[in-house]
Structures are given as C-alpha cells and as structure tokens.
Amino acid sequence: MAEEEWQPKIIAIICNWCSYAGADLAGSARTQYPPDVRAIRVMCTGRVDPLFIMKAFADGADGVLVSGCHFGDCHYIAGNYKCAKRMFLLKSVLKDLGIDDHRLRMTFVSASEGAKWAMVMEDVVKTIKELGPSPINQLKQ
Amino acid sequence: MAEEIKQPRIGVFVCHCGTNIAGTIDVEAVKDYAATLPNVAVADHYQYMCSTPGQQMIQDAIKEHDLTGVVVAACTPRLHEPTFRTATKEGGLNPFRFEMANIRDQNSWVHMHDAEGATEKAKDAVRIAVAKASLLEDLYPKSVPVEHAAMVVGAGVGGIQAALDLANAGIKTYLIEKSPTVGGRMSQLDKTFPTLDCSQCILTPKMVDVGRHPNIELHTYTEVEAVDGYIGNFEITLRKKARGVMSQDEATAKGIVGGGCNGCGDCEAVCPVIKPNPFELGMAPRKAIYIYHPQVVPLVYTVDFDSCVKCGLCVEACGDKKAIDLEMEDTFETVKVGSVILATGYEIFPVEKKREWGYKQFDNVITSLEFERLICASGPTGGHLVRPSDGETPMKVAFLLCAGSRDNTGVGKPYCSRFCCMYSLKHAHQVMEKIPGCQPYIFYMDIRSFGKMYEEFYYRIQNEGAKFIRGRVANILEDPKTKNLHVYAEDTLLGRPVDIEVDMAVLAAAIQPAADTDHVRHLFGVSCSQDGWLLEAHPKLNPCGTTTAGIFLAGVCQGPKDIPDTVAQAEGAASAASIPIHMGKVDLEPYFAQCIEEKCAGCGMCVNQCPYSALDLIEKDGRTVMHVTEAKCKGCGTCGGFCPGGAIYMQHFTTPQIVAQIDAFLLGGEE
C-alpha cells in the first residue's frame, strides 16, 4: 500500500471558549495547516466522556485530539483539569488494549493562539501519519 | 424532550461567503453531497447565507419541506450562530434545532492551497452536522431577573466615564479602585495632545462628579476579592483595605459627630516617616499618612501600614475628629450587580530591561511619565524641567520613541503602544515653549499620528523647530564629568550614523497590562490575548464585550489606546452593560444538565465534579438520585463527561448527539 495515499482519520473534540476560538483565529489569520482533522465542538473539555474516545477508536479513528483551555484559564473554572486527569488514565487503558497512546493527545490552545493551533494540527497529523493506520482498522480488515 | 418520534427532516444550506468559501471549496459538490445524506430533505447553496435573502431561504425551506432541523455550512458558530438561530425561529422552528458546520474559519481559510482536501473536509463537516441536527430537540432558554446595579473595576478616566454614564442612566454603580484616589494615569499627566488641554483641568471635574453622584458608590483603596454568579446576578466580594483613616460618612455612621477626615493635613505635618511618593514616581516625598496630591477624590488620608511606626502623633494631631485608627483591619463586603465593566488600565514597561539606553544607570535618562511629572505645574519641581543629575535646565533633549514598543528582540513588546508618538510630539512642544532655545531631538521609526487633528499637530511641531531623526537609538553613553549623554543612532534617511550630545534623554517607554490584570481576569473569567491585554468578544464587532456574558471592557486593559479612544470605549461599554439591566431580565442558554433518574445510581460522583455546586443528591421515590439546580448550572457538561452510568443528560450536547457526530465522521453516517 502506498503510504502517500493513506489519509488518516483524526477527530478533534475541542472546547468552545479556547481551542475552538483559537482555531477560528488561525482562520482569520489565514494560517495554513493540513486538512486531515475533523472537529467536534463541546462547551468544555470537561464534557469529554472517555467513552467518546473509546467509541472513536472502535469506529476506526487513527487519532483523537482533545483540546481545551490552558490550566487556570478554563471558562468553567477547572473542566480542563478534570478532562486531563481522565485522558491520562485513558492513555494507560489504550496501551493495555494495544493502541499506541500517542494516538490520543490532549493540548491546551487559548483563544489567542491561532498559530499554536496550526502547529498542533501539523504535529498531530505528522504523528498519526508516522504511526500509520490504527490497529483496530487492521483487525477489521 | 421529544413528544412524538418524527423522522428528522434536515435542510442543509451551504454558504459561499462571496469567494471566502467558494474560492476554495466546491460548494456545489458539498450541496450535492449533502442531498444524498440520510435525513436530509433539502440542500441548497447561496452567496451569503447571513444576508436577508439567505435567511429567507432558510425560513421558506422550513415551511415548504416541513423541516425538523437546519444546518448551515458557513463561517463559525461563534460569529453567526445567533443570526441563524433567529432565522430558524422565524421559520417556525425552535431556535435550538439549528447546527452549524464551520467550513470557513476552520476550513477554506486554512486550506487555501488544497481545494480537494478542503472540499472533502467540508463534506465531512456537513455530515457531522446533519447527524447532530437529526437529534436536536426543542430547548427553552431560562429567563432570569437582572440586578439593577453595575460595577466598574478601575477608576482611571475610562472607569470614571463608564461609571458616570451608568449612573446618569439611573443605574446604581459601584466604582472600585485599588489605590486611595480615583483618576488613574490621566491624573499624572500635564497636558493632553493635540489640543494641549491641561489634563487635570478636564479630569478633576469628572473625579469630583464620581465622588458625589447619588447613583455611584465609590470604593477606593478596595480590591475585588471574589466573584460568584452569572450575568444579571453577580455576587462580588470586595476587600476594603485597612486605610487607617475614616471618612466623614464612616465616622458619622459610628456616631462620631462632626468627626472623620476632612483632609486638613495636620496628621501629615507631624508624621515622622518619609517615603517616596509613587504618584510622583518617587521624585517627591510623602509621609506614612498621605494623600497622593491635593485634588484626590475622596479627600481622605491613607495610612501606609508597611512604613507606619505607630507612634500615634497623627492620632493626637487629628484630635476630636477621631478619624485615625491605627488598628484598623481589612473589611469585606458583598454586593450584587447585573453587569461589570473592567477598566484596569496599564503600567509602564520596565524600560531598564533595555540596558542599551541606560535608564536607571544614567541620571539624566528618564521615562516619559517622569517627564510629565517634571513638566507639570503641580509636580515635584513646580513645572520647571530640570536634569535629575544637577538640577540644571536642559537645553538639548532627546526623545526616544518606541522605547520597548515594536520590539521583536524578546526583551520589549512586539506591539505599538499607540500614544507615545503623540505625547512625545507634545513633549517636544512643551520644552520649546517653556525653555526658550531648548532643542528637542526626536528619534523615531515612524510617526504614527492617526487621530483627529493629530497629523496637523505633527506638522506644527515640525514647524516649531523640533529635529526629527529617523532611526532607532543604538545606545546611550554618559559623559561621566558633565553627565551629558551621547545618543548614538543611524539616521536611516541620510544613511549615516549620528552621535548627538544632549543634556537629557526621555524614553517613550512601552506600556503593558497592569500588574494584577491577570488576577482580575481569572476572578471574572475573562481571556487575554498573547500580550496579556484582556480579550474582547470580537475585535471589530464586539470590542467592548467579552466571552463571559455580563462582563465588559473599557480602556487600555483591552489594548493600548489614547484618552479619546478610552473614553469612547468606556461609553460603549457603559451602554452595553446597561442593556441587560434596563431589560430587567436575560435569557440564559439552555445548556443545562439533567438527571435521567432511571439510570442514576445515586453514587454522587458528579456532585464533586461540578464547579458551581449546582448538583445535589436528593431522595425521590425511595431512591437517592441527583438533582440539578438549573440557575446554578452553566452547562459545561463536566458532570456528563464523568457519570459512570450515563445518567446525565447534557442538553444540546447529549451523549447520543456527540456519539452520532463521531459515528457520522468515522462510519459515514451509518450506525
């Protein structure tokens, strides 16, 4: 299989107040980044149930990004802390399941960090492309 | 909650946004693709969906196709979700049956050179949005009453103007200032450009007004301690710092008839402790019991407990007025307000970090704010500009613009501080006016004279004989004998180095957010930009608002601006802050958590997750279940993300909706 042709499926669950706004700012500034990631907006990363991420991997996602506000900047005081704790735990569960934990990533991008959002996009796509298709997809085939 | 199960019928509308979207994305293909998706009853596209004909298309389609949900693929919901919700409502649907697919800000604008990739991403975004729209439900905003009061934090010229406007509109206004007097930076200035009005003359009447306005409750020497609540119902705890001196009102309240501070100054005369006066930037002394300057509002002395030796001489001098209490402690007071304006201002960048200009190394290098005090008639020298090294009158003065502004070295600030060019022109005028024969040299990169009558003022100063040298100063060296300064720069217009010997150099230092801005913004839940200035809701269309409903911004705390712009923004913020108060009620977005009681095991783990104490465990039908107090719930969904039993129903972001979005992307919309 030609590696060039493989398009990874990456889903991002991002908070309304910081990362979604930061992603919009990257747009206003016309900062270019690869188009592989699809975003779902929630009000706060605190809303992210680990089961959403497990569902995404079960559905065949090659990578999942969760992005919220910087610590101390959460619009709802501390939803990002609570999410980060869950993500750490979830990473160890993923490892046990044989899924490289680099496929799950949590980042903190503020509403003023459009350039950082573009960097995160570049980096996530690069990481997932290096890791290749998810083992779940390979099992399915 | 759905009364009857109805097969969803979704209308999809793809916006061209002129060429913003259509220039990159094949909108026709996205529309055709949308039409093939499950549950989509109609798909269309139009040049500007947000325009009147665009919105009409949505309304007509809702009626014609009996739609249950609307998807618009366009810009960001942060811009136009309210617009399209209104259109959805006008079409006869519940406004929350609308979902937006962001194919501009997060697609066409960031993938301009990958039309194919962008179009595929847009199709996926529409598919994800349709999946959510198929599961959207009717929601009803909760209307809450608004407290008929407002708060303004910071009493510089911006805060003063905002408080006066609110108070004049009949709103009870709490004006909070951390220093002992109102007035802020503007009260330190001598004259204002380009009209050369005396700064004090135009500011002090406003200072007096806020002190005596019946609708303004002025709290000086007070800081915000804690903030609770939400738009319409903020509960704000104030820390009234121990001032050591009672005002006349406070004394009367304590039953000391005719007592309290009347500003006579007898205490100051006997105080043995001498400290630098921060208002004069340390260039004049003050006592441990002090006022900044004679025009302070309120005219009440303050004890600096850090330097007070508690000798008690002031208490004796005060006599029967009994105003001074050296054992006074901080007190706390909680007030309820409907909206808040932050006007916390700025401070001067510590320009000594730019070591090449020798500030704090050479006596005769000063900052512009120090220059303002030295040239001001009420300043430490009575308005006589003198060299700090020997008290002589300077005959050659260099003005260094962009001292720390427009600096990409990492030491200074990358932004333009916006008013330094203009006040330096004013300073040049002032030295020529006050000291006959004095020659100002202005070292500049560009003169930014963008305001009304500013360019004319620039020409005027040129004609008056100021010398302009285009070039950033490389360094300043001091002649150790004369304390004169050698200013080295490249004149970039002539293309040659210059070395000018001057008596004094004035650095137009950059400005930065006031030191406690970060603390204040965390209290009020406001974001900041990369430079630390408070972040407005939209840079063009909502420059006074923030993303936290009910919190507004005025003045330099939002970004560098001069006095006219600060006052204009303050008036705008006051107007915006008064809207919910005059409406008397606000609608809260109905993103409340709800408990699905059949699933709830009553474990209570969610209760600890909630940052707002909105969740409780209650006994119902012999079982323990969770209960949500909707007025406290802000809709973050943290409880919903944590519930091990899936028993929390997070309105508008329900688990089925989010899972449907995930499935739609990864499985192509099939279950």
Side-chain angles (χ1 to χ4, degrees):
Chain A
M1 183 184 351
E3 275 183 46
E4 296 282 307
E5 285 170 21
W6 174 66
Q7 293 295 324
K9 288 195 165 231
I10 306 170
I11 193 157
I13 308 181
I14 60 181
C15 88
N16 178 63
W17 303 100
C18 294
S19 291
Y20 200 91
D24 281 346
L25 185 64
S28 311
R30 312 295 195 275
T31 313
Q32 304 297 303
Y33 57 79
D36 305 74
V37 181
R38 307 290 183 262
I40 289 179
R41 181 173 69 121
V42 289
M43 295 312 277
C44 178
T45 50
R47 176 70 187 97
V48 179
D49 189 326
L51 289 175
F52 298 163
I53 292 159
M54 298 303 272
K55 184 75 172 84
F57 280 118
D59 283 355
D62 297 302
V64 177
L65 170 71
V66 177
S67 191
C69 305
H70 286 280
F71 287 142
D73 261 4
C74 176
H75 192 75
Y76 305 100
I77 303 173
N80 51 355
Y81 282 99
K82 288 161 188 162
C83 179
K85 279 164 79 176
R86 293 174 204 156
M87 294 306 116
F88 278 123
L89 192 63
L90 191 56
K91 271 173 167 278
S92 63
V93 174
L94 287 177
K95 264 192 248 178
D96 290 346
L97 291 172
I99 299 172
D100 191 316
D101 67 340
H102 291 93
R103 291 185 187 278
L104 170 62
R105 174 110 160 240
M106 183 161 188
T107 59
F108 308 95
V109 177
S110 82
S112 61
E113 294 178 329
K116 183 176 174 189
W117 176 256
M119 273 167 56
V120 166
M121 289 291 99
E122 297 263 2
D123 202 53
V124 165
V125 172
K126 181 168 163 269
T127 305
I128 301 301
K129 281 194 171 167
E130 278 168 12
L131 288 169
S134 159
I136 307 265
N137 282 337
Q138 290 165 359
L139 280 177
K140 276 185 180 170
Q141 283 165 8
Chain B
M1 307 262 159
E3 330 75 58
E4 54 178 297
I5 310 292
K6 185 173 166 186
Q7 181 64 29
R9 297 174 59 79
I10 310 296
V12 178
F13 303 89
V14 184
C15 182
H16 299 200
C17 196
T19 57
N20 279 304
I21 293 170
T24 304
I25 292 171
D26 184 346
V27 285
E28 191 94 27
V30 175
K31 182 215 96 177
D32 291 343
Y33 173 76
T36 67
L37 290 169
N39 297 336
V40 172
V42 58
D44 210 340
H45 63 105
Y46 184 66
Q47 213 158 18
Y48 291 104
M49 283 310 300
C50 56
S51 65
T52 308
Q55 294 191 45
Q56 193 61 45
M57 271 171 72
I58 297 172
Q59 293 169 33
D60 293 346
I62 292 172
K63 294 187 184 111
E64 194 181 327
H65 298 278
D66 189 25
L67 300 181
T68 63
V70 173
V71 168
V72 174
C75 50
T76 165
R78 295 175 63 258
L79 183 65
H80 272 323
E81 191 173 62
T83 313
F84 294 121
R85 274 190 181 158
T86 307
T88 305
K89 190 179 172 189
E90 308 248 303
L93 271 182
N94 183 287
F96 293 90
R97 286 181 172 269
F98 165 76
E99 177 68 11
M100 202 148 178
N102 185 336
I103 62 167
R104 189 188 76 173
D105 300 52
Q106 295 183 23
N107 191 336
S108 65
W109 276 354
V110 289
H111 311 310
M112 295 172 109
H113 312 301
D114 185 358
E116 202 181 317
T119 303
E120 284 310 306
K121 185 174 174 178
K123 287 178 182 173
D124 285 351
V126 167
R127 193 169 73 237
I128 292 168
V130 168
K132 178 158 181 184
S134 301
L135 297 174
L136 287 174
E137 295 164 326
D138 290 355
L139 294 176
Y140 300 93
K142 195 177 176 67
S143 189
V144 292
V146 175
E147 191 71 24
H148 199 80
M151 178 176 285
V152 179
V153 182
V157 64
I160 287 173
Q161 185 65 48
L164 285 174
D165 281 10
L166 287 165
N168 286 335
I171 295 165
K172 162 98 177 176
T173 305
Y174 299 90
L175 178 58
I176 313 301
E177 169 59 46
K178 71 173 177 184
S179 68
T181 175
V182 303
R185 290 283 169 218
M186 188 177 167
S187 64
Q188 289 178 291
L189 308 181
D190 179 41
K191 291 207 165 126
T192 57
F193 59 79
T195 47
L196 301 173
D197 293 300
C198 151
S199 180
Q200 286 277 2
C201 312
I202 54 178
L203 181 65
T204 40
K206 285 185 186 289
M207 290 167 62
V208 173
D209 283 351
V210 293
R212 68 176 176 208
H213 199 295
N215 284 342
I216 294 180
E217 195 174 307
L218 178 60
H219 293 264
T220 52
Y221 213 50
T222 299
E223 291 180 14
V224 176
E225 181 76 10
V227 181
D228 202 6
Y230 48 90
I231 182 171
N233 298 278
F234 291 106
E235 284 188 18
I236 300 176
T237 306
L238 303 173
R239 174 193 284 268
K240 290 180 77 75
K241 293 184 281 187
R243 189 170 198 143
V245 181
M246 275 185 286
S247 68
Q248 290 179 319
D249 289 348
E250 285 164 338
T252 308
K254 282 201 169 182
I256 308 168
V257 180
C261 182
N262 63 4
C264 67
D266 291 348
C267 51
E268 188 181 16
V270 297
C271 180
V273 180
I274 294 178
K275 299 290 284 182
N277 185 353
F279 181 80
E280 303 289 1
L281 307 166
M283 295 186 294
R286 70 158 162 79
K287 299 293 186 68
I289 187 162
Y290 66 96
I291 50 171
Y292 275 171
H293 57 89
Q295 291 80 34
V296 293
V297 173
L299 183 52
V300 175
Y301 273 76
T302 305
V303 177
D304 171 17
F305 283 107
D306 289 338
S307 57
C308 173
V309 293
K310 299 204 176 177
C311 63
L313 286 172
C314 54
V315 181
E316 266 175 50
C318 191
D320 289 342
K321 293 194 290 294
K322 292 182 182 165
I324 302 172
D325 173 6
L326 295 179
E327 303 305 319
M328 199 182 267
E329 289 186 345
D330 293 2
T331 55
F332 297 89
E333 181 185 346
T334 300
V335 298
K336 258 192 107 174
V337 297
S339 55
V340 178
I341 295 174
L342 301 181
T344 53
Y346 68 97
E347 62 184 27
I348 303 292
F349 164 71
V351 72
E352 62 271 23
K353 286 187 179 172
K354 299 291 289 182
R355 293 190 54 80
E356 58 269 37
W357 298 322
Y359 181 60
K360 291 200 175 167
Q361 301 167 54
F362 307 140
D363 290 345
N364 293 329
V365 179
I366 62 171
T367 65
S368 297
L369 200 57
E370 287 167 337
F371 180 92
E372 290 283 350
R373 294 315 301 155
L374 288 175
I375 201 95
C376 180
S378 63
T381 57
H384 298 289
L385 184 66
V386 293
R387 285 167 26 120
S389 68
D390 51 14
E392 292 295 318
T393 304
M395 293 310 289
K396 283 179 169 183
V397 183
F399 294 93
L400 276 65
L401 271 53
C402 298
S405 306
R406 305 175 68 196
D407 180 309
N408 289 322
T409 61
V411 180
K413 304 290 175 185
Y415 49 81
C416 167
S417 296
R418 284 191 95 220
F419 47 67
C420 332
C421 284
M422 291 308 296
Y423 72 57
S424 294
L425 294 175
K426 175 194 74 180
H427 290 169
H429 167 82
Q430 283 178 298
V431 295
M432 291 187 286
E433 184 186 46
K434 286 210 167 185
I435 308 169
C438 181
Q439 178 62 58
Y441 297 89
I442 297 178
F443 290 89
Y444 69 102
M445 301 213 291
D446 307 281
I447 294 290
R448 297 188 165 177
S449 51
F450 48 81
K452 190 174 181 182
M453 298 302 285
Y454 288 11
E455 190 71 7
E456 292 88 333
F457 187 69
Y458 175 26
Y459 291 138
R460 175 178 164 186
I461 307 307
Q462 282 180 327
N463 292 333
E464 283 176 358
K467 289 211 164 114
F468 288 78
I469 298 153
R470 184 168 173 270
R472 179 172 245 169
V473 171
N475 67 331
I476 293 178
L477 292 177
E478 185 186 59
D479 182 335
K481 280 192 198 131
T482 59
K483 299 278 180 184
N484 286 352
L485 303 165
H486 283 269
V487 181
Y488 298 97
E490 183 193 345
D491 186 327
T492 56
L493 293 179
L494 297 178
R496 66 181 183 213
V498 292
D499 163 13
I500 296 175
E501 186 175 352
V502 297
D503 300 326
M504 187 181 216
V506 182
L507 306 181
I511 58 167
Q512 62 186 25
D516 39 12
T517 304
D518 215 43
H519 176 63
V520 171
R521 79 175 181 85
H522 279 122
L523 285 173
F524 286 96
V526 174
S527 302
C528 69
S529 61
Q530 256 158 331
D531 305 319
W533 304 109
L534 299 182
L535 195 65
E536 64 286 342
H538 191 279
K540 294 171 191 74
L541 303 179
N542 195 351
C544 299
T546 69
T547 49
T548 302
I551 311 281
F552 302 89
L553 305 175
V556 182
C557 66
Q558 182 253 334
K561 52 182 72 68
D562 56 14
I563 294 168
D565 286 0
T566 292
V567 172
Q569 193 183 20
E571 299 206 283
S575 164
S578 70
I579 291 170
I581 293 170
H582 284 313
M583 292 300 289
K585 63 185 178 65
V586 284
D587 286 343
L588 303 182
E589 284 193 319
Y591 304 158
F592 310 119
Q594 292 199 338
C595 179
I596 307 171
E597 290 173 359
E598 311 86 77
K599 286 190 185 176
C600 179
C603 70
M605 288 169 86
C606 52
V607 176
N608 295 330
Q609 292 282 308
C610 180
Y612 304 107
S613 315
L615 313 181
D616 299 296
L617 291 180
I618 57 162
E619 293 296 321
K620 196 170 178 186
D621 305 330
R623 294 174 58 220
T624 304
V625 290
M626 187 272 279
H627 172 259
V628 183
T629 307
E630 283 189 0
K632 286 187 180 175
C633 175
K634 293 194 186 179
C636 63
T638 304
C639 53
F642 194 71
C643 178
I648 290 172
Y649 191 82
M650 194 58 232
Q651 291 183 168
H652 211 64
F653 294 91
T654 67
T655 299
Q657 286 166 1
I658 294 174
V659 169
Q661 287 177 291
I662 294 170
D663 287 346
F665 167 44
L666 295 161
L667 305 177
E670 306 300 322
E671 279 299 314

